[in-house]
Amino acid sequence: MRCGGCAALVYGKRFLRGLGVCPDCGWHSPLTARQRLEQLLDPGSAVPVEAPEPPPDPLGFADTRPYPDRLAEARAATGLRDAVLCARGLVEGRPVVVAAMDFRFLGGSLGCAVGGLITEAARTSLREGVPLLLVTASGGARMQEGVLSLMQMARTARAMAELDEAGVLTVSLVTDPTYGGVAASFATLSDVILAEPGARLGFAGPRVIEQTTGQRLPEGFQTAEFLLANGMVDDIVPRPALRGVLGRLLALRSPAHGPRRPDGPAVLRGADRVPDRDAWEAVRLARHSGRPTTADYAGHLLDEFTELHGDRLAEDCPAVVGGPGRLAGMPVMVIGHHKGGPGLAQRQRRKFGMPTPGGYRKAARLMRLAAKLRLPVVTLIDTPGANPGPDAERGGQAVAIAENLRLMSRLPVPVVAVLTGEGGSGGALALAVADRVLVCENGVYSVISPEGCAAILWKSPQAAPTAAAALRLHARELLRLGVADGVVPEPEGGAHRDHARAAALLGDALAETLADLVPWDTARLLAARAGRFEQFGAQTGFGSQTGRRTS
């Protein structure tokens, strides 16, 4: 056969073994709805989901041919009742309801029958409490059904809203192409949006855009790669890897109990147990370029970690990394700053760990998903501060930070924040409104950098060490002030000397802390979190511990 991407000749059996992916260029061939179900679901697990038959021709529509004739032809050619096929089934043993669209049926257009089938799939998912997987392929609304086709966008969006309210996971798999009313309704309302390589998604098709605007579109516009860079999809997943990724996502469930506690105390609770150190030396260690990043900790600590991308608005900020995984067997949502490692190019690409507004919006989106699925949230903080550039200001940096503070203050799941390195100002606090705040032994946390403080108050950047001491920003002082609830030990000489050991120590600290918090109900969590932050400023005198909560 000839590849539809590179036009190379491919041995047919090899092409089929590769699930319809060209072994030379990676082109993903179109699949039928039945092929989708066969590839994604465990063998023999599919059970059809049906919906009532809608009126066959609600408008009595005819263009060059009567609409009923077009329907009959599409049904004969595809063997489908309409452009979507729905089934209950299993993916790697995990239950799911799947609605897979078929572009062969009138371009996968959204009409009353498709709206009814998508809605029935969502109702089945809601009734059985199992995740919904939507596999989309569509040219848009079905013109032959007029405004009734338009109404299916609202109909399916309402069905998705019910799943949100019930805390049921929804996942979309965007395939090529997905346009119009499908893109602007259920396809982009899922909690997690995956895309096949090269898949196109948009409200208006490229020809319409060019005809309307008179502008030539850039290469790759509306492709999965474009969408990932602009924060619209969570990941691009090649077809052979889909079952594994879906299996991990479908396994996300609210934990029944916390992780197993470590054998001994893992968190230092008393300031006298934390080594005293020079404040400026603590700053230098916290900023060491070799310290583990959030991605490093996720790699060491989490099983089945799936990084999710994008703020669903404009960008995928590389300074924030996050996604679900399993910590000591318990599902959690991990979100953290990423400075980029020791290389300058890596650090530049990651914006030196200084998030844009999109980074905070991405974090907020993942926290809302954690709240919906009842997953504990772990944030790992290591940033000089929020991005100070003009683009960040135009994007609403202050608003994005403020929104996160409000969101975290009322998040109905346990939240543990860890200052793994540098905690700079509001850029750090935007991920640190938590039930428990831990600080790594060589971490720091401050309202401003020592250099900035020295330049403003001492009128000299050379006074930075003096300012660092005055700010009382290292672990021992943070614990004494009550800003931190505990200190996580580090390997001798600092976390940069032994990433695996640093991760093991952090893992024990998180397990110990979450084992305490997971059994708490929402009311207790929110009351204690409010009390935690109410105490700051309500006491006077450095080192006062009298008002520290005991909850």
Side-chain angles (χ1 to χ4, degrees):
M1 60 161 289
R2 190 173 297 278
C3 170
C6 64
L9 291 175
V10 182
Y11 183 49
K13 289 185 178 179
R14 182 185 182 193
F15 188 73
L16 292 175
R17 284 197 303 269
L19 305 180
V21 178
C22 176
D24 295 327
C25 73
W27 174 70
H28 283 53
S29 66
L31 296 179
T32 70
R34 284 196 172 87
Q35 287 172 326
R36 291 284 176 190
L37 296 181
E38 289 169 2
Q39 287 190 8
L40 293 175
L41 295 178
D42 295 352
S45 68
V47 177
V49 172
E50 302 290 352
E53 183 82 36
D57 184 13
L59 304 185
F61 192 95
D63 42 65
T64 57
R65 296 174 59 198
Y67 178 42
D69 291 354
R70 292 190 182 276
L71 282 174
E73 182 180 57
R75 286 169 176 166
T78 63
L80 300 176
R81 197 183 81 184
D82 216 288
V84 64
L85 195 59
C86 302
R88 301 180 189 85
L90 303 173
V91 176
E92 296 193 338
R94 281 121 184 184
V96 65
V97 176
V98 184
M101 301 191 73
D102 197 314
F103 195 79
R104 298 174 304 154
F105 197 108
L106 299 180
S109 50
L110 176 60
C112 294
V114 171
L117 283 163
I118 295 294
T119 301
E120 185 58 33
R123 285 175 180 157
T124 303
S125 179
L126 180 65
R127 188 166 55 248
E128 299 182 4
V130 302
L132 174 67
L133 170 61
L134 303 165
V135 185
T136 63
S138 176
R142 189 166 297 178
M143 291 177 287
Q144 294 91 339
E145 296 185 15
V147 73
L148 295 178
S149 171
L150 186 67
M151 295 302 105
Q152 304 312 306
M153 296 170 63
R155 183 185 185 187
T156 56
R158 182 200 57 77
M160 297 293 282
E162 288 184 342
L163 293 174
D164 287 338
E165 292 168 4
V168 177
L169 176 70
T170 55
V171 181
S172 285
L173 172 59
V174 175
T175 74
D176 189 53
T178 298
Y179 279 115
V182 170
S185 60
F186 58 89
T188 51
L189 289 176
S190 291
D191 300 313
V192 179
I193 303 177
L194 307 176
E196 287 192 332
R200 293 166 295 167
L201 176 142
F203 182 57
R207 280 186 299 176
V208 172
I209 295 172
E210 289 185 343
Q211 289 170 4
T212 303
T213 65
Q215 297 179 358
R216 185 103 178 135
L217 297 176
E219 190 70 26
F221 185 73
Q222 294 184 322
T223 63
E225 293 72 19
F226 171 89
L227 297 166
L228 182 64
N230 287 276
M232 301 301 171
V233 301
D234 284 287
D235 207 359
I236 300 171
V237 185
R239 199 170 287 166
L242 273 171
R243 276 177 49 82
V245 173
L246 290 171
R248 292 197 297 272
L249 291 171
L250 298 178
L252 295 175
R253 293 286 188 278
S254 173
H257 51 77
R260 186 179 68 82
R261 288 178 177 276
D263 293 334
V267 178
L268 305 178
R269 307 282 182 187
D272 56 337
R273 297 188 58 202
V274 180
D276 201 2
R277 66 174 71 254
D278 176 76
W280 186 241
E281 177 63 17
V283 171
R284 292 176 64 248
L285 281 171
R287 292 174 175 173
H288 196 288
S289 63
R291 288 182 75 82
T293 65
T294 294
D296 293 328
Y297 281 122
H300 283 289
L301 289 178
L302 301 180
D303 294 323
E304 302 181 0
F305 176 65
T306 303
E307 185 178 354
L308 303 179
H309 296 266
D311 66 350
R312 292 286 196 278
L313 183 63
E315 65 173 312
D316 178 39
C317 176
V320 174
V321 169
R326 291 184 175 274
L327 175 70
M330 183 184 71
V332 296
M333 183 69 75
V334 173
I335 305 163
H337 299 100
H338 196 317
K339 284 186 173 179
L344 178 59
Q346 293 182 53
R347 294 170 81 80
Q348 287 174 330
R349 187 174 74 82
R350 295 285 183 176
K351 302 182 184 294
F352 298 92
M354 295 187 290
T356 62
Y360 293 115
R361 287 192 289 263
K362 173 165 66 172
R365 183 175 75 82
L366 297 184
M367 285 188 268
R368 290 189 185 97
L369 175 57
K372 174 181 172 177
L373 301 179
R374 308 297 300 175
L375 304 181
V377 172
V378 173
T379 63
L380 304 179
I381 297 157
D382 186 12
T383 181
N387 196 293
D391 286 344
E393 290 299 318
R394 277 192 290 269
Q397 186 70 286
V399 175
I401 290 172
E403 291 283 359
N404 272 28
L405 302 183
R406 177 171 62 181
L407 171 66
M408 295 189 76
S409 71
R410 301 297 294 171
L411 210 63
V413 293
V415 184
V416 179
V418 186
L419 293 144
T420 61
E422 190 176 10
S425 192
L429 183 62
L431 294 185
V433 181
D435 301 297
R436 295 289 183 270
V437 176
L438 308 179
V439 57
C440 288
E441 187 178 334
N442 293 309
V444 297
Y445 197 12
S446 178
V447 67
I448 191 172
S449 70
E451 295 89 341
C453 182
I456 294 170
L457 298 182
W458 276 264
K459 313 299 182 187
S460 169
Q462 281 70 43
T466 304
L471 287 166
R472 304 187 185 277
L473 44 63
H474 63 80
R476 182 184 176 101
E477 302 300 336
L478 295 172
L479 189 59
R480 195 191 306 275
L481 286 167
V483 172
D485 299 288
V487 173
V488 182
E490 291 189 20
E492 185 68 30
H496 59 282
R497 294 184 178 273
D498 189 340
H499 286 197
R501 178 61 181 155
L505 291 167
L506 177 58
D508 285 345
L510 289 172
E512 179 179 288
T513 306
L514 287 168
D516 288 336
L517 292 173
V518 167
W520 290 18
D521 61 32
T522 298
R524 184 181 178 189
L525 281 171
L526 295 182
R529 195 180 305 156
R532 183 185 196 284
F533 287 90
E534 280 288 332
Q535 71 170 332
F536 299 122
Q539 302 172 49
T540 58
F542 169 66
S544 172
Q545 298 286 298
T546 57
R548 290 291 302 276
R549 70 193 186 291
T550 58
S551 57

